[in-house]
Amino acid sequence: FNSRLQVLNLGGNQLETVPEELGELQQLGSLTLCDNRLKRLPRAISSLSRLRSLLLHKNNLCCLPLEIVKLRGLMELSLRDNPLVTRFLDTLSCRKVMYNSPSLLELAARVIKMKRIPHQPYELPKTLCTYLSSGHKCVNAKCKGMYFTSCVEAIKFVDFCGVYRLPLMHYLCSSRCSSSTPAYTRTVSESESEEEDPVEARMKRVLLG
């Protein structure tokens, strides 16, 4: 990928996946992924801080990554003709979709990060330093756990403006961990939406587009 790329059109290519490397396009302002076969988006999409337009219509998306709400500058988001708009699978709302048992490497990395065990870059191979820096905190505010490559994928249905229920994908560190809906995706009624933060309200309107 060209890190200076500002416009990327991958529509109509029958794509089934999009690589995580997409998040390296820091200058990207417009991304077109419509008319493909995508079932999910990479979490790295949250790194596209300059993204203003994201076209996802005519795919097979059943959920959105929770990280998509971090795209505070997003002005255009097209979701029509996707299962997440045309129908909802209520059985997914509480079911854990995927969980791989953590490897010994992951367990060791979790302990190092959670216990804040001191280490210097020159003491470890570069690959291990990179791995340790790739950790994610569990979305459950009451959980102080972390994960690296092994996590639980769960669907969270969120009401926007009391009209639509959009399924967002979020990630937990353990199959025993549960989470309430984060504050920035809380249920908002039509009357409440007029009083909230303009940026947050705008994002919700975009998601309905």
Side-chain angles (χ1 to χ4, degrees):
F1 284 122
N2 185 339
S3 59
R4 294 178 295 179
L5 195 66
Q6 297 183 18
V7 177
L8 180 59
N9 188 338
L10 297 175
N13 284 292
Q14 304 300 305
L15 298 176
E16 295 184 359
T17 60
V18 178
E20 290 286 340
E21 287 77 8
L22 183 71
E24 298 176 8
L25 302 177
Q26 296 296 311
Q27 301 301 316
L28 197 64
S30 175
L31 176 59
T32 300
L33 294 171
C34 59
D35 200 12
N36 282 299
R37 298 177 180 177
L38 300 176
K39 292 183 178 180
R40 62 181 59 191
L41 298 176
R43 285 176 284 171
I45 197 171
S46 64
S47 300
L48 303 177
S49 59
R50 295 179 179 271
L51 198 62
R52 298 293 179 268
S53 174
L54 177 58
L55 305 183
L56 301 171
H57 52 275
K58 294 185 178 179
N59 274 288
N60 296 321
L61 295 169
C62 291
C63 62
L64 297 173
L66 190 64
E67 289 82 357
I68 200 169
V69 299
K70 296 180 181 179
L71 300 176
R72 308 298 284 178
L74 196 63
M75 299 297 295
E76 179 183 20
L77 175 56
S78 175
L79 294 172
R80 67 182 184 278
D81 296 326
N82 275 287
L84 69 84
V85 172
T86 58
R87 62 184 173 84
F88 296 104
L89 304 178
D90 290 336
T91 56
L92 291 177
S93 60
C94 297
R95 182 166 63 92
K96 299 295 184 297
V97 178
M98 183 279 289
Y99 183 64
N100 293 323
S101 299
S103 63
L104 291 177
L105 173 62
E106 168 119 2
L107 291 174
R110 290 186 182 191
V111 171
I112 290 174
K113 299 297 283 187
M114 292 172 61
K115 300 294 184 180
R116 298 182 179 181
I117 298 176
H119 60 278
Q120 298 299 327
Y122 60 81
E123 297 175 331
L124 301 173
K126 184 177 180 180
T127 53
L128 289 181
C129 290
T130 301
Y131 187 84
L132 286 171
S133 64
S134 67
H136 304 275
K137 292 183 178 180
C138 183
V139 297
N140 184 354
K142 297 181 179 180
C143 175
K144 296 182 179 180
M146 293 193 67
Y147 64 88
F148 291 82
T149 59
S150 179
C151 63
V152 175
E153 296 182 355
I155 302 295
K156 173 75 69 175
F157 281 94
V158 180
D159 290 334
F160 284 95
C161 301
V163 180
Y164 291 101
R165 298 177 67 223
L166 294 181
L168 300 180
M169 182 73 80
H170 67 168
Y171 303 86
L172 304 169
C173 65
S174 167
S175 59
R176 299 186 299 273
C177 190
S178 61
S179 169
S180 58
T181 302
Y184 49 78
T185 57
R186 66 186 183 280
T187 300
V188 178
S189 66
E190 187 172 351
S191 60
E192 289 176 325
S193 64
E194 297 176 356
E195 301 176 357
E196 64 185 341
D197 178 73
V199 176
E200 187 172 293
R202 179 183 64 192
M203 187 65 194
K204 292 186 172 106
R205 288 198 295 271
V206 170
L207 284 170
L208 297 178

